[in-house]
Amino acid sequence: MADAIVLITTDSDMVGDAAERIVEIDGVRDVYSVAGDVDLVAVVSADRFEDLAQIIPQGIAKVDGVAATQTLMAFRTYSKEDEAAAFDLGGD
């Protein structure tokens, strides 16, 4: 599984419209509107890292109102649920 966090800057009057279009793209799990240097944050998952090339530059970046994207590739996931499961299996 390949995961990425995409930081998205939009035209100021297109935040909501862009978010609604982005969340409909296959592979986009969630889209958050945020305060700060960017307008939206998208969580993207694909079967392979190569698939992210279709989802992000060919999908998200081409949505009307998207001015720029910055992609953070996830190498490893840490979560409370994963930690609890490992302990249940005898991991440490």
Side-chain angles (χ1 to χ4, degrees), residues 32-65:
Y32 300 92
S33 61
V34 297
D37 293 334
V38 298
D39 302 302
L40 301 170
V41 174
V43 179
V44 178
S45 291
D47 291 332
R48 303 171 309 141
F49 279 103
E50 295 82 12
D51 297 334
L52 296 174
Q54 289 298 315
I55 299 167
I56 300 165
Q58 297 301 316
I60 294 172
K62 293 193 176 190
V63 167
D64 286 341

Side-chain angles (χ1 to χ4, degrees), residues 5-6 20 26 30 33 40 49 51 55 66 92:
I5 307 299
V6 184
E20 289 175 6
D26 286 340
D30 298 297
S33 61
L40 301 170
F49 279 103
D51 297 334
I55 299 167
V66 171
D92 43 39

